Amino acid sequence: MIRVLLVLAIAVFAPLQAQTPYGIGYRLAMSRPASHLFEVTIDVSVPANDSSGFIDFQMPKWQPGRYAVANFAANVQEFKAQSQTRNLVWTKIDDQTWRVQRQGNRTLTATYKVFGNDLSGTYAQLDFGHATYTGGEIFMYVAGHKADPVELHVEPPPNWRVVNGRIERPNQRDWQYPNYDLLIDNPTEIGPDWTLDEFRVDGKTYRIVVHSRGDEGGRRPALVRDVEKIVRAEIRMWGPPEFDSYTFLFHFAADDRSSDGMEHLTSTHIIEPGILAERHTYANAVSTAAHEFFHAWNVKRLRPVEFGPWDLTRPAATRALWIAEGFTQYYGMLMYYRAGVEEPEGFLQNLSDTIATIENSPASKLMSAEASSMAAPFIDTAVHRQRTNLSNTSLSYYLKGELIALNLDLLIRGWTRGQRSLDDVMRRAYDEFYLKSPNASYYLKGRGYSIEDFARVVSEVAGRDMTDWFARYIRGVDLLPYDEALATVGLRLVKSPAYLPYTAGIVIDRDDRQSLRLGALHTNSPAERGGLQEGDVLLSIAGTNVSRENWQSVINRYKKGDRVAVTVRRFRRSMDLSIVLEEPDVFDYRIEEIPNVTAQARALRTAWLQGK
Ligand SMILES: [Zn+2]
Ligand SMILES: [Zn+2]
């Protein structure tokens, strides 16, 4: 009994002793771009009083901003550890950790290569044209010493130049970071032909770095001007940002595939699949910039309590992504408009489209905003080997969060007769949790907020207790109060049967190009009730042989209440089934003006759209 107690006491008190920092230096080379192999060297020096027998080098399982598990260790090869010239014994102890025996040495060097050939905000790419990375996908950390200061030296190929969001001088190749978490928060571009434009706002420098793999059509000066408008609109709302310089790193990939936007403390990495010369690619780049720059406040500094320091051994779990991403989605759209880059009709059209996506989704009645946030590791571009029901059960915390923000913003404006808005909620939360709270960890200024903290700030700004509202709309799946919210600014939501053809809940598997195989059917739909199931191959509807092109038009010859014969092939036999058609369950949504609105509603709408 006593022994057990003694062990417990040690276990409880041991983590409180601060570990003496290690000296940790990274070197990054890329001598053979065609191999897609980054060459990483980590030099570690251990203080004399450190008695540990080994050092664990750990590859992150994921990295901040993308919540699906990535397992970066899968791309590590040729790991070695040495002290002076002697090889050290190492063992792989789990799927992300290389344990090196020190054998009495105080300095040692680990080297390895990492394959990278994805242009993304999460993965790295090295090829003939450039090297680009975020950090967590190529740099291992020393377990137990993530908080220690680290150095980085980059050795580019001849004639390639290095740029990132922490540049202090031209041709910089060496950086110092207060800790590993900040090392991997600095996406870096290394190549021969990126361009740099700059502008200044309120004494701070903004850089626009562009690497185009296709024609720019002379649009780069316009891009710089429009990004500056966005920067000014967002600073007008938030006040002065907490950085000296900020870098927008754009890739125009020209591969019709690579697409991303990733937020960081002093930069963002935006990847468009098209070329800058295209109008829609240009528009997407600017609106993504509006979203990502908003993250310089919301998520990177004003952050959920779980967001840093990062535990990179298991996925992050927070209930607050509908704030972190959803509110950013809302303000990204709004700022795009407030900056004068977008027409008001486009903004309202975007909101209507989001409402249609959320309200037509079967998951809107199953998954709350909080639950969606907790499901992020499964839905944020996660890859699944097992079949899932996520198409029926999962909802986007981006879009649901955007609609929660819309409703809260308009309701607060209405309840306070235009005195306050969601802008005040964001400013007050930023002030309290980031600017004014004592530092909770080595990672960053201030502390993260809990959902309860955030709900309290909303209640204070709204001037009423919002506990019940949060229970219904955030934790629950009640239909958001669109009518009340939109009426505040003289608008209303009009719902009408969808223009889209009726499907009776049938979903065709997009991956099977050979046959008309069914994917996950809509839950509780006529197709499901009629006995169809995922994996069946659809042969005929009402006696007509069907194809990818005609199956919807065949079903739409019939109307609600009709019983329609369906033949499918299942387990190499054909089966005759029938489905009873119902009312269409998909609707179009449109936001329109209420005729003859009051002067007050009109004034509130102007204040909302213009940011007052
Ligand atoms: Zn590049
Ligand atoms: Zn985002």
Side-chain angles (χ1 to χ4, degrees):
M1 193 56 111
I2 288 168
R3 256 180 90 170
V4 170
L5 281 175
L6 208 62
V7 170
L8 276 177
I10 291 166
V12 169
F13 291 112
L16 294 178
Q17 295 168 359
Q19 277 167 313
T20 317
Y22 286 5
I24 302 172
Y26 293 83
R27 285 176 278 155
L28 177 66
M30 49 215 78
S31 60
R32 294 186 297 128
S35 70
H36 312 294
L37 291 171
F38 290 87
E39 300 144 36
V40 181
T41 304
I42 311 175
D43 299 304
V44 180
S45 59
V46 177
N49 64 359
D50 187 293
S51 57
S52 59
F54 57 80
I55 293 178
D56 284 344
F57 292 90
Q58 219 155 37
M59 202 68 186
K61 278 203 179 281
W62 63 285
Q63 64 178 328
R66 167 113 329 112
Y67 303 101
V69 170
N71 282 321
F72 299 122
N75 276 1
V76 171
Q77 62 186 70
E78 298 169 66
F79 183 91
K80 285 196 196 76
Q82 290 191 310
S83 185
Q84 278 92 40
T85 52
R86 247 180 65 219
N87 284 332
L88 297 176
V89 176
W90 59 269
T91 332
K92 189 85 186 289
I93 60 163
D94 61 30
D95 62 349
Q96 67 177 140
T97 312
W98 285 254
R99 174 164 293 176
V100 177
Q101 299 301 327
R102 276 176 58 198
Q103 299 166 243
N105 296 292
R106 283 187 45 213
T107 61
L108 61 87
T109 299
T111 60
Y112 59 92
K113 293 174 185 163
V114 190
F115 179 89
N117 194 20
D118 290 291
L119 183 51
S120 108
T122 301
Y123 303 102
Q125 184 167 61
L126 172 61
D127 61 21
F128 280 119
H130 72 168
T132 192
Y133 66 83
T134 299
E137 76 281 42
I138 59 173
F139 297 124
M140 295 185 186
Y141 54 90
V142 177
H145 289 269
K146 230 163 102 280
D148 300 359
V150 299
E151 295 178 355
L152 169 66
H153 174 76
V154 178
E155 199 53 57
N159 304 318
W160 287 23
R161 297 162 295 136
V162 190
V163 69
N164 61 36
R166 293 188 186 271
I167 286 281
E168 284 152 2
R169 54 188 178 276
N171 301 317
Q172 187 171 344
R173 291 188 179 185
D174 294 276
W175 283 265
Q176 293 185 322
Y177 297 91
N179 53 64
Y180 175 89
D181 299 63
L182 297 182
L183 167 74
I184 65 164
D185 188 39
N186 193 23
T188 297
E189 165 75 0
I190 306 164
D193 57 356
W194 49 264
T195 58
L196 172 65
D197 291 276
E198 290 186 352
F199 59 85
R200 286 176 73 79
V201 176
D202 301 337
K204 297 182 196 274
T205 301
Y206 294 83
R207 298 189 190 89
I208 312 284
V209 174
V210 176
H211 181 195
S212 280
R213 289 190 144 169
D215 185 17
E216 292 192 342
R219 285 188 194 266
R220 191 147 46 80
L223 177 71
V224 176
R225 277 198 304 276
D226 278 344
V227 170
E228 180 173 347
K229 288 182 196 163
I230 299 278
V231 165
R232 289 181 183 276
E234 299 197 6
I235 289 173
R236 209 182 324 132
M237 171 184 150
W238 283 107
E242 285 258 312
F243 48 66
D244 297 323
S245 70
Y246 186 94
T247 302
F248 292 86
L249 167 58
F250 287 98
H251 272 102
F252 293 95
D255 63 359
D256 301 314
R257 189 169 58 89
S258 304
S259 172
D260 210 346
M262 191 53 76
E263 64 277 7
H264 298 279
L265 273 166
T266 59
S267 63
T268 175
H269 188 186
I270 294 168
I271 300 160
E272 292 296 331
I275 60 175
L276 187 49
E278 293 160 346
R279 184 185 293 271
H280 69 276
T281 298
Y282 177 91
N284 285 343
V286 177
S287 71
T288 306
H291 176 104
E292 301 303 334
F293 188 59
F294 198 85
H295 275 317
W297 291 268
N298 189 32
V299 101
K300 292 312 298 183
R301 290 177 175 82
L302 168 61
R303 60 198 187 272
V305 65
E306 300 86 358
F307 275 23
W310 307 100
D311 178 353
L312 302 173
T313 64
R314 55 184 182 162
T318 179
R319 295 184 282 135
L321 282 178
W322 56 273
I323 304 169
E325 284 300 350
F327 282 28
T328 303
Q329 187 76 11
Y330 171 70
Y331 276 108
M333 299 287 179
L334 191 51
M335 291 298 172
Y336 190 60
Y337 168 71
R338 282 184 188 170
V341 186
E342 166 78 294
E343 299 298 315
E345 296 74 25
F347 173 57
L348 295 182
Q349 182 63 50
N350 269 324
L351 289 174
S352 314
D353 291 348
T354 304
I355 292 170
T357 304
I358 288 295
E359 302 309 337
N360 283 328
S361 159
S364 66
K365 295 169 193 75
L366 298 175
M367 183 176 265
S368 70
E370 278 196 10
S372 168
S373 183
M374 290 299 283
F378 308 130
I379 57 186
D380 183 14
T381 65
V383 179
H384 301 279
R385 289 296 299 270
Q386 69 176 334
R387 280 169 203 245
T388 70
N389 198 25
L390 289 165
S391 63
N392 277 317
T393 58
S394 74
L395 202 65
S396 163
Y397 44 82
Y398 284 83
L399 302 187
K400 183 65 187 265
E402 178 186 344
L403 299 180
I404 290 166
L406 169 71
N407 279 270
L408 274 178
D409 196 4
L410 299 185
L411 290 172
I412 293 171
R413 287 171 188 275
W415 294 332
T416 63
R417 297 176 174 274
Q419 296 302 302
R420 288 173 177 169
S421 71
L422 192 63
D423 298 13
D424 296 289
V425 172
M426 302 311 284
R427 283 190 288 255
R428 195 184 280 219
Y430 177 69
D431 188 65
E432 176 177 341
F433 306 122
Y434 176 74
L435 291 176
K436 301 226 173 102
S437 286
N439 293 5
S441 76
Y442 71 82
Y443 169 59
L444 201 63
K445 194 161 157 172
R447 68 172 177 93
Y449 60 80
S450 68
I451 293 275
E452 289 68 30
D453 289 328
F454 196 84
R456 170 178 54 75
V457 174
V458 173
S459 295
E460 285 167 7
V461 171
R464 57 177 68 193
D465 182 2
M466 296 292 284
T467 311
D468 183 53
W469 205 94
F470 268 62
R472 291 182 65 187
Y473 303 117
I474 309 297
R475 218 149 296 143
V477 295
D478 283 12
L479 182 69
L480 284 161
Y482 297 108
D483 291 342
E484 185 191 352
L486 289 167
T488 302
V489 291
L491 298 173
R492 66 183 175 202
L493 188 63
V494 180
K495 180 177 171 182
S496 51
Y499 179 72
L500 289 170
Y502 177 62
T503 64
I506 293 173
V507 174
I508 305 299
D509 184 346
R510 265 187 259 162
D511 297 333
D512 187 344
R513 305 302 302 177
Q514 304 301 317
S515 60
L516 214 49
R517 191 175 296 281
L518 302 187
L521 303 179
H522 285 179
T523 295
N524 208 11
S525 61
E528 187 189 271
R529 275 194 283 278
L532 277 72
Q533 68 174 16
E534 182 176 2
D536 291 347
V537 175
L538 195 54
L539 300 176
S540 70
I541 297 174
T544 304
N545 288 344
V546 287
S547 67
R548 215 162 267 277
E549 285 67 42
N550 76 349
W551 72 271
Q552 288 185 334
S553 64
V554 173
I555 222 170
N556 279 277
R557 286 177 204 157
Y558 301 88
K559 59 182 194 306
K560 179 188 163 193
D562 287 351
R563 177 175 289 274
V564 178
V566 175
T567 308
V568 299
R569 191 172 69 239
R570 181 184 299 172
F571 303 132
R572 302 195 185 187
R573 286 200 191 106
S574 76
M575 284 181 78
D576 294 322
L577 302 163
S578 70
I579 48 184
V580 179
L581 304 187
E582 293 173 4
E583 202 78 62
D585 54 356
V586 176
F587 298 89
D588 284 337
Y589 292 86
R590 195 175 70 250
I591 294 174
E592 63 175 35
E593 281 197 45
I594 298 172
N596 310 318
V597 295
T598 62
Q600 179 178 331
R602 204 183 303 274
L604 288 181
R605 191 194 308 165
T606 305
W608 171 49
L609 292 174
Q610 295 182 357
K612 289 179 182 145

